[in-house]
Amino acid sequence: MKPSRDDDSERAINFQRKIRSFVRREGRMSKRQTTAYESLFPKYGLEFNRQLLDLSPIFERTAPTILEIGFGMGNSLATMAMENPEINYIGIEVHRPGVGSLLAAIEEQNINNIRIFSHDAVEILEQSIPDNGLDGIHIFFPDPWPKTRHHKRRLIQPAFVNLLSRRLKSQGTLHIATDWKNYMEWIEEIMTANHDFARLPDNTPHQRPTTKFEKRGIKLGHGVWDLIYKKT
Ligand SMILES: C[S@@+](CC[C@H](N)C(=O)[O-])C[C@H]1O[C@@H](n2cnc3c(N)ncnc32)[C@H](O)[C@@H]1O
């Protein structure tokens, strides 16, 4: 049945009302980013089409898959992918200059184990990532939304963590880093209340290149917290 105009307008209102964890501030794209976006997205990009992803044909192999949400300019994702050629990486970022930068790095450094979505990670996880499809999820320095009235925009929320749990394989890891103490406490509280995850000790070795936002936080005198959880 064709949707009525009432259905359409209700959908439009719901879209507007949806609380998102980002504000699209496109900023200027450099020539390198624009060229890379236009010429390389068809090669390494994944279109969000509300269909479930079949990972093996995308990477032309079956391998452990790690998803990074909000990769920013993508430097740390590119480094991780080069250091771990046996792992498939999916990066998600809504900031197009960052997507352009990572696409340029992929081509310049001949990286073949990254694919990119340029869309809201919440919708991608809801509609395109299969249950038990991921070996790991990385969320490095998510926007802290420091004002109390903006806390509802924080990416880490109880319902979102439930969704992450469903998409992770058993024993899969969720690695979150933040330089914002109040957000660290917020994440700890949500994760403690979620019984699908067990926290790994703080001294657990992990491999994570320093990110652009992390460097900025360190310059401002912020601490850095890595919170790593295993799906039990
Ligand atoms: C504070 S930045 C950190 C970037 C990078 N991880 C770093 O450490 O340099 C957070 C990033 O997450 C992205 N982001 C926020 N919410 C998102 C969402 N729902 N889907 C995709 N990207 C998102 C923003 O565009 C932004 O680039």
XYZ file of all heavy atoms in Angstrom, residues 8-46:
332
model
N 3.901 10.113 5.557
C 5.131 10.799 5.136
C 5.484 11.925 6.094
O 6.621 12.077 6.505
C 4.956 11.387 3.724
C 5.042 10.291 2.682
O 5.467 9.184 3.045
O 4.661 10.551 1.530
N 4.448 12.725 6.475
C 4.798 13.868 7.320
C 5.187 13.393 8.712
O 6.074 13.952 9.344
C 3.675 14.896 7.367
O 2.515 14.262 7.766
N 4.563 12.284 9.164
C 4.949 11.762 10.485
C 6.417 11.317 10.460
O 7.178 11.584 11.374
C 4.052 10.590 10.845
C 4.124 10.254 12.315
C 3.184 9.103 12.632
O 2.068 9.090 12.090
O 3.602 8.234 13.386
N 6.789 10.675 9.326
C 8.176 10.216 9.211
C 9.137 11.413 9.212
O 10.170 11.395 9.845
C 8.338 9.412 7.918
C 9.180 8.188 8.136
C 9.199 7.277 6.942
N 8.019 6.463 6.834
C 7.338 6.258 5.699
N 7.716 6.819 4.582
N 6.279 5.494 5.687
N 8.726 12.476 8.507
C 9.586 13.670 8.434
C 9.751 14.273 9.829
O 10.846 14.659 10.227
C 8.978 14.694 7.488
N 8.661 14.303 10.595
C 8.731 14.884 11.947
C 9.641 14.019 12.815
O 10.513 14.519 13.523
C 7.322 15.008 12.563
C 6.552 16.099 11.831
C 7.400 15.332 14.041
C 5.061 16.064 12.062
N 9.477 12.680 12.709
C 10.329 11.795 13.507
C 11.793 11.998 13.157
O 12.653 11.992 14.024
C 9.964 10.331 13.264
C 8.694 9.975 14.004
O 8.329 10.669 14.944
N 8.031 8.920 13.572
N 12.058 12.211 11.854
C 13.436 12.410 11.422
C 14.002 13.659 12.094
O 15.095 13.654 12.640
C 13.488 12.530 9.894
C 14.881 12.697 9.371
C 15.703 11.586 9.241
C 15.389 13.941 9.038
C 17.003 11.726 8.783
C 16.675 14.085 8.590
C 17.485 12.968 8.455
N 13.176 14.742 12.067
C 13.657 15.990 12.662
C 13.868 15.844 14.168
O 14.770 16.408 14.732
C 12.629 17.090 12.431
C 12.787 17.735 11.071
C 11.621 18.650 10.746
O 10.779 18.943 11.592
N 11.570 19.091 9.526
N 12.972 15.076 14.810
C 13.027 14.962 16.261
C 14.161 14.082 16.737
O 14.533 14.117 17.880
C 11.719 14.356 16.774
C 10.612 15.353 16.828
C 9.596 14.896 17.865
N 8.403 15.687 17.727
C 7.206 15.182 17.470
N 7.059 13.885 17.350
N 6.169 15.957 17.360
N 14.664 13.214 15.838
C 15.657 12.235 16.258
C 16.878 12.960 16.848
O 17.411 13.886 16.244
C 16.077 11.398 15.044
C 16.951 10.264 15.421
C 16.978 9.228 14.340
C 17.925 8.136 14.777
N 18.035 7.094 13.799
N 17.291 12.505 18.017
C 18.440 13.141 18.660
C 19.686 12.487 18.115
O 19.849 11.274 18.213
C 18.360 12.968 20.189
C 17.106 13.654 20.710
C 19.604 13.516 20.869
C 16.688 13.161 22.069
N 20.556 13.269 17.525
C 21.764 12.695 16.922
C 22.982 13.051 17.755
O 22.996 14.041 18.471
C 21.930 13.206 15.489
C 20.817 12.680 14.594
C 20.933 13.178 13.177
N 19.730 12.830 12.446
C 19.522 11.659 11.849
N 20.452 10.732 11.852
N 18.386 11.417 11.228
N 24.024 12.233 17.589
C 25.247 12.451 18.378
C 26.202 13.408 17.680
O 27.321 13.594 18.116
C 25.939 11.108 18.602
O 26.258 10.536 17.348
N 25.757 13.988 16.549
C 26.645 14.884 15.799
C 25.827 16.035 15.233
O 24.609 15.938 15.112
C 27.310 14.134 14.636
C 26.317 13.521 13.678
C 25.844 14.239 12.582
C 25.815 12.246 13.898
C 24.909 13.685 11.723
C 24.871 11.684 13.035
C 24.418 12.407 11.950
N 26.536 17.104 14.893
C 25.930 18.206 14.144
C 26.749 18.281 12.871
O 27.982 18.289 12.935
C 26.052 19.537 14.926
C 25.478 20.677 14.121
C 25.369 19.426 16.266
N 26.089 18.271 11.725
C 26.863 18.296 10.477
C 27.435 19.677 10.261
O 26.713 20.612 9.926
C 25.981 17.929 9.281
C 26.034 16.458 8.975
C 25.426 16.208 7.609
N 24.818 14.899 7.568
C 25.482 13.795 7.241
N 26.752 13.851 6.902
N 24.871 12.634 7.230
N 28.736 19.819 10.517
C 29.440 21.069 10.198
C 30.434 20.687 9.127
O 31.478 20.116 9.428
C 30.197 21.598 11.426
C 29.368 22.473 12.294
C 30.205 23.047 13.423
N 29.717 22.615 14.717
C 30.183 21.581 15.415
N 31.189 20.863 14.957
N 29.676 21.256 16.587
N 30.072 20.924 7.880
C 30.909 20.369 6.818
C 32.296 21.005 6.761
O 33.265 20.344 6.535
C 30.217 20.487 5.459
C 29.155 19.405 5.251
C 29.662 17.961 5.403
O 30.374 17.669 6.385
O 29.335 17.137 4.561
N 32.384 22.307 7.019
C 33.684 22.965 6.886
C 34.125 22.894 5.429
O 33.436 22.336 4.587
N 35.277 23.464 5.153
C 35.767 23.448 3.774
C 36.504 22.151 3.526
O 37.245 21.677 4.381
C 36.734 24.630 3.600
C 36.463 25.470 2.368
C 37.518 26.553 2.257
N 38.877 25.988 2.090
C 39.350 25.511 0.934
N 38.613 25.542 -0.146
N 40.566 25.022 0.857
N 36.310 21.598 2.347
C 37.089 20.408 2.013
C 38.278 20.847 1.188
O 38.132 21.670 0.274
C 36.244 19.412 1.214
C 35.404 18.512 2.104
S 34.293 17.464 1.175
C 35.246 15.968 0.967
N 39.462 20.311 1.486
C 40.648 20.647 0.688
C 40.515 19.978 -0.682
O 39.682 19.093 -0.876
C 41.909 20.153 1.392
O 41.917 18.735 1.355
N 41.389 20.391 -1.591
C 41.366 19.807 -2.937
C 41.623 18.296 -2.840
O 40.960 17.491 -3.495
C 42.456 20.518 -3.772
C 42.616 20.037 -5.177
C 41.973 21.035 -6.133
C 41.841 20.614 -7.570
N 42.041 19.299 -7.973
N 42.599 17.940 -1.976
C 42.959 16.513 -1.831
C 41.749 15.710 -1.339
O 41.449 14.632 -1.846
C 44.129 16.422 -0.842
C 44.534 15.000 -0.435
C 45.766 15.081 0.470
N 46.157 13.782 0.991
C 45.790 13.288 2.165
N 44.998 13.992 2.975
N 46.223 12.104 2.565
N 41.035 16.298 -0.344
C 39.872 15.581 0.215
C 38.744 15.466 -0.812
O 38.135 14.406 -0.954
C 39.362 16.321 1.462
C 40.318 16.255 2.634
C 40.015 17.293 3.703
O 39.259 18.242 3.478
N 40.612 17.131 4.870
N 38.487 16.558 -1.546
C 37.403 16.531 -2.539
C 37.714 15.527 -3.635
O 36.869 14.708 -4.010
C 37.234 17.930 -3.185
O 37.155 18.877 -2.143
C 35.995 18.012 -4.043
N 38.935 15.582 -4.142
C 39.300 14.672 -5.237
C 39.190 13.231 -4.760
O 38.653 12.373 -5.454
C 40.760 14.955 -5.687
O 40.873 16.351 -5.889
C 41.126 14.214 -6.945
N 39.697 12.986 -3.551
C 39.665 11.612 -3.037
C 38.212 11.169 -2.850
O 37.844 10.056 -3.225
C 40.420 11.522 -1.719
N 37.388 12.065 -2.288
C 35.989 11.683 -2.039
C 35.310 11.301 -3.358
O 34.652 10.273 -3.462
C 35.239 12.837 -1.364
C 33.976 12.379 -0.669
C 33.949 12.156 0.699
C 32.815 12.133 -1.391
C 32.804 11.704 1.343
C 31.666 11.674 -0.761
C 31.670 11.470 0.604
O 30.532 11.019 1.231
N 35.503 12.169 -4.364
C 34.796 11.929 -5.634
C 35.311 10.696 -6.364
O 34.553 9.921 -6.925
C 34.901 13.164 -6.531
C 33.966 14.256 -6.015
C 34.209 15.608 -6.645
O 35.090 15.721 -7.530
O 33.529 16.568 -6.235
N 36.641 10.509 -6.353
C 37.168 9.425 -7.195
C 37.275 8.094 -6.440
O 37.223 7.034 -7.048
C 38.532 9.814 -7.765
O 39.428 10.026 -6.696
N 37.408 8.138 -5.112
C 37.688 6.879 -4.400
C 36.508 6.323 -3.604
O 36.529 5.151 -3.233
C 38.894 7.061 -3.467
C 40.191 7.466 -4.177
C 41.284 7.773 -3.156
C 40.648 6.341 -5.109
N 35.494 7.172 -3.328
C 34.367 6.607 -2.565
C 33.734 5.417 -3.301
O 33.416 4.403 -2.678
C 33.319 7.677 -2.201
C 32.397 7.215 -1.101
C 32.769 7.295 0.235
C 31.164 6.641 -1.401
C 31.940 6.816 1.252
C 30.324 6.163 -0.401
C 30.720 6.259 0.928
N 33.610 5.499 -4.649
C 33.038 4.325 -5.337
C 33.867 3.058 -5.135
O 33.334 1.950 -5.183
C 33.053 4.747 -6.817
C 33.062 6.248 -6.782
C 33.837 6.631 -5.557
N 35.168 3.215 -4.867
C 36.039 2.041 -4.716
C 36.041 1.506 -3.274
O 35.960 0.302 -3.049
C 37.458 2.464 -5.132
C 38.414 1.342 -5.373
C 39.652 1.864 -6.112
C 40.756 0.839 -6.121
N 42.024 1.444 -6.539
N 36.149 2.407 -2.302
C 36.296 1.957 -0.902
C 35.088 2.306 -0.031
O 35.052 1.947 1.139
C 37.534 2.608 -0.273
C 38.807 2.328 -1.018
C 39.413 3.323 -1.784
C 39.404 1.071 -0.956
C 40.589 3.066 -2.486
C 40.574 0.812 -1.650
C 41.156 1.814 -2.418
O 42.309 1.555 -3.110
N 34.125 3.045 -0.596
C 32.981 3.480 0.208
C 31.847 2.466 0.176
O 31.722 1.677 -0.762
N 31.036 2.505 1.225
C 29.858 1.638 1.305
C 28.637 2.554 1.377
O 28.593 3.451 2.228
C 29.920 0.760 2.550
C 31.117 -0.202 2.639
C 31.202 -0.814 4.045
C 30.992 -1.293 1.593
